[in-house]
């Protein structure tokens, strides 16, 4: 298998374009994520509860837009649609500069979710078609490392705006995020033209993925598996602050552990997950690591300050190993089971599963981990390990039945 990078840069020029665009885009994302909530609650004076509702409304749009937009990319041309969706995201984001009430904020966020998540579905389809020959999973892993670097740099820029704490500083961040999207739209135009999906045969469903039962089941399992991201982001900080003797500043330390480890080791720990069978086994292994990490985190309650710190840091380290291994498995299954000509539609559906986990997991993780204590952590660990384990027989079933469900060009 030919190497993906040379001196840390993708060898394939098309993959270099995608990597550069990802770095620029995630810098904008990191900057706006750091500043968004504080600007609209402290400067614009919109109540935090209303900001939360606006974000929830955008999440609902993101949940349902990915499959139809991904399908549109397949039939209209993914490169062309991706370019216009990315440009539209940047233009809509400029609306944040002029938003001063909850109704305008909700409208801007819903429009942004429509274009941004639609672009994400099309982009994943483009990646699956360009990064072929066993490079798909490795390149997704590389992009994840690039994403962490970009978010870290963007977070630092956002931190500068927080330090200045002036309206113009926050608005500059929003303008910067918009500019990154507009720049990306020009980068996308440099990608090669990808052929449209062939016309549907008589009787073939418009959205084939909805009839592909094994893939639907696999998406449900990977969506359940992906809840661990939200659990660590939401439940971990609350657990540290309210249920352990560890200092609250440890939240930043555990986040740094995750960010640095992914940036350094994600590509390495995703190797070997480039077939569906191997990828499903990686999901199973990742689930075991994540379960062990949750166990260490749960044990920190009731311990002395430094024992709690040690357990939480070890738990974060063990969890991130499972996160990296499992992510490689998830990408391998999702790309390998999908038909080459319908990657946008299928990857959009996979993204829908991930979005659904983001809707369900925050309240579930608080209810179980914070209110239920160690038992809640154990329950969620068992659920995620079960999802990883079940992916092995379900993916084998999916491979056996590809032809039955009209998938003749899958790469798994």
């Amino acid at each position: 298998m030919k190497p993906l990078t040379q001196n840390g840069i993708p060898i394939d020029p098309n993959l270099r374009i995608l990597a550069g665009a990802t770095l620029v885009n995630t810098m904008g994302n990191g900057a706006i994520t750091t500043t968004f909530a504080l600007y609209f609650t402290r400067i614009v004076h919109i109540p935090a509860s209303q900001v939360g509702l606006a974000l929830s409304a955008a999440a609902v749009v993101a949940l349902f837009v990915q499959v139809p937009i991904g399908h549109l990319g397949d039939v209209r041309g993914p490169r062309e649609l991706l370019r216009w969706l990315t440009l539209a995201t940047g233009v809509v984001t400029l609306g944040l500069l002029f938003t001063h009430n909850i109704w305008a904020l909700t409208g801007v966020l819903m429009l942004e979710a429509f274009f941004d998540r639609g672009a994400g579905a099309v982009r994943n389809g483009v990646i699956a078609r360009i990064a072929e020959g066993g490079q798909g999973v490795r390149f997704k892993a590389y992009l994840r490392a690039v994403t962490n670097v970009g978010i870290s740099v963007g977070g630092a820029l956002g931190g500068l705006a927080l330090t200045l704490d002036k309206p113009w500083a926050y608005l500059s961040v929003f303008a910067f995020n918009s500019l990154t999207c507009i720049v990306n739209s020009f980068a996308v135009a440099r990608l090669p033209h990808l052929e449209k999906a062939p016309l549907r045969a008589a009787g073939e469903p418009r959205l084939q993925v909805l009839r592909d039962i094994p893939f639907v089941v696999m998406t449900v399992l990977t969506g359940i598996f992906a809840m661990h991201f939200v659990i660590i982001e939401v439940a971990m900080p609350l657990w540290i602050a309210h249920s352990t003797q560890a200092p609250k500043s440890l939240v930043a330390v555990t986040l740094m552990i995750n960010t640095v480890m992914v940036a350094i080791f994600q590509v390495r720990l995703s190797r070997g997950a480039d077939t569906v069978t191997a990828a499903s086994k990686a999901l199973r292994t990742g689930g075991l690591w994540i379960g062990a990490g949750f166990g260490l985190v749960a044990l920190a309650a009731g311990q002395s300050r430094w024992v709690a710190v040690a357990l939480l840091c070890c738990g974060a380290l063990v969890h991130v190993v499972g996160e990296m291994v499992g992510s490689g498995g998830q990408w391998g299954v999702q790309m390998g089971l999908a038909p080459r000509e319908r990657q946008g539609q299928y990857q959009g559906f996979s993204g829908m599963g991930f979005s659904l986990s983001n809707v369900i997991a925050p309240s579930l993780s608080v209810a179980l981990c914070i209110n239920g204590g160690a038992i809640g952590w154990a329950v969620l660990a068992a659920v995620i390990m079960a999802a990883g384990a079940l992916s092995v027989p379900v993916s084998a079933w999916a491979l056996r039945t590809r032809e039955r469900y009209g998938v003749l060009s899958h790469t798994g």
Side-chain angles (χ1 to χ4, degrees), residues 59-354:
V60 172
V61 172
L63 180 63
F64 291 105
V65 74
Q66 296 174 79
V67 175
I69 296 297
H71 169 69
L72 188 63
D74 292 333
V75 299
R76 295 295 184 185
R79 183 195 67 179
E80 291 75 12
L81 183 59
L82 178 58
R83 180 185 180 187
W84 290 111
L85 287 170
T86 305
L87 179 61
T89 302
V91 172
V92 169
T93 302
L94 285 174
L96 294 175
L97 300 176
F98 312 101
T99 298
H100 301 292
N101 60 68
I102 184 58
W103 300 110
L105 178 62
T106 303
V108 170
L109 290 180
M110 291 176 71
L111 275 174
E112 183 186 27
F114 179 89
F115 292 117
D116 183 56
R117 295 314 304 154
V122 177
R123 185 182 301 109
N124 284 332
V126 169
I127 291 169
R129 291 185 61 178
I130 290 180
E132 293 191 320
Q135 290 191 326
V137 173
R138 286 187 296 155
F139 185 61
K140 290 279 280 188
Y142 179 84
L143 285 185
R144 184 136 187 275
V146 168
T147 294
N148 272 27
V149 172
I151 289 176
S152 297
V153 174
L157 294 174
L160 178 60
L162 292 176
T163 301
L164 295 171
D165 198 26
K166 301 289 185 182
W168 64 265
Y170 292 103
L171 295 176
S172 296
V173 167
F174 298 162
F176 172 71
N177 184 54
S178 175
L179 181 62
T180 63
C181 295
I182 294 171
V183 168
N184 271 353
S185 71
F186 289 100
V188 167
R190 297 174 56 202
L191 293 172
H193 172 74
L194 298 173
E195 292 298 323
K196 303 174 184 177
L199 295 175
R200 289 181 294 128
E204 183 181 345
R206 184 180 300 275
L207 295 179
Q208 178 182 336
V209 67
L210 301 180
R211 305 284 185 91
D212 191 341
I213 297 174
F215 192 88
V216 170
V217 175
M218 198 68 227
T219 297
V220 171
L221 289 176
T222 54
I224 292 171
F225 187 91
M227 289 196 303
H228 73 87
F229 289 105
V230 180
I231 294 166
I232 287 298
E233 292 170 1
V234 175
M236 181 82 147
L238 295 173
W239 182 253
I240 291 172
H242 300 296
S243 301
T244 76
Q245 298 298 317
K248 294 179 179 61
S249 58
L250 193 68
V251 172
V253 174
T254 58
L255 177 62
M256 186 182 302
I257 288 172
N258 185 284
T259 302
V260 172
M261 291 288 286
V262 169
I264 297 174
F265 296 110
Q266 178 67 76
V267 174
R268 186 176 304 175
L269 290 181
S270 298
R271 290 174 183 165
D274 46 4
T275 67
V276 170
T277 300
S280 64
K281 292 178 181 178
L283 272 168
R284 181 178 62 190
T285 302
L288 295 174
W289 278 93
I290 289 168
F294 283 6
L296 290 169
V297 170
L299 288 174
Q303 304 293 340
S304 65
R305 181 184 182 91
W306 294 112
V307 172
V309 168
L311 285 169
L312 291 165
C313 289
C314 288
L317 278 168
V318 172
H319 165 266
V320 76
V321 172
E323 176 184 321
M324 291 184 285
V325 173
S327 292
Q330 188 165 339
W331 300 324
V333 167
Q334 290 169 347
M335 289 189 288
L337 290 176
R340 185 180 186 277
E341 69 279 5
R342 306 284 182 196
Q343 282 286 359
Q345 181 185 136
Y346 271 68
Q347 299 315 314
F349 188 78
S350 297
M352 184 176 174
F354 188 83

